[in-house]
Amino acid sequence: MTKPIPRVGSRRNGRIGSRKNGRRIPKGVIHVQASFNNTIVTVTDVRGRVVSWASAGILGFKGTRRGTPYAAQAAAVHAIRTVIDQGMQRAEVMIKGPGLGRDAALRAIRRSGILLSFVRDVTPMPHNGCRPPKKRRV
């Protein structure tokens, strides 16, 4: 006669699976970070937990091609495809950085069919910033 294996408390309902697949998210936030060298698109829920992300680098773009508008568009499409399957309908967009991919990523987000409640530029701007280092004397 075999001994029954005791079940661990947290797994009592029998649903063991990916933590991210089980969540339905109707509303989210899309963050676009567009630097000169790369574009990163991150999709979070309203509490800030990352649901999906993509960058031009992980899509196979190498070197200077990562900073192109097309690479940014491809990254945005890749990041959004998974959250549309999870039921996202509305989103806010936060765009950061000076890169070429800003407009291309926003265009791809608009075309995806998600309703945008607002688009905000959150690029950090120094209000006359840090004090520069003192001049070198020779």
Side-chain angles (χ1 to χ4, degrees), residues 1 4-5 9 22 37 47 51 55 83 86-88 99 107-108 123 128:
M1 196 167 127
I5 301 167
N37 298 321
R47 290 179 59 187
V51 181
S55 72
V83 292
Q86 292 183 358
M88 184 183 280
R107 226 173 285 130
T123 306
N128 219 10

Side-chain angles (χ1 to χ4, degrees), residues 45-62:
D45 59 8
V46 284
R47 290 179 59 187
R49 297 177 296 190
V50 174
V51 181
S52 168
W53 71 277
S55 72
I58 64 156
L59 292 179
F61 293 95
K62 295 275 187 255

Side-chain angles (χ1 to χ4, degrees), residues 1-22:
M1 196 167 127
T2 58
K3 240 173 145 181
I5 301 167
R7 291 198 143 211
V8 181
S10 63
R11 295 182 176 176
R12 190 169 291 138
N13 59 5
R15 273 182 46 210
I16 305 167
S18 175
R19 183 173 60 81
K20 292 186 178 177
N21 290 348

Side-chain angles (χ1 to χ4, degrees), residues 61-127:
F61 293 95
K62 295 275 187 255
T64 54
R65 291 202 192 95
R66 286 184 311 187
T68 60
Y70 177 71
Q73 174 188 324
V77 168
H78 189 268
I80 289 172
R81 193 181 302 136
T82 55
V83 292
I84 288 179
D85 296 341
Q86 292 183 358
M88 184 183 280
Q89 290 133 6
R90 288 180 296 138
E92 305 165 356
V93 180
M94 308 287 198
I95 299 182
K96 182 189 284 189
L100 297 170
R102 293 167 57 104
D103 300 330
L106 183 58
R107 226 173 285 130
I109 293 167
R110 282 235 163 94
R111 255 186 271 134
S112 70
I114 292 179
L115 294 170
L116 303 182
S117 47
F118 66 81
V119 178
R120 181 179 289 171
D121 187 359
V122 291
T123 306
M125 288 286 183
H127 297 286

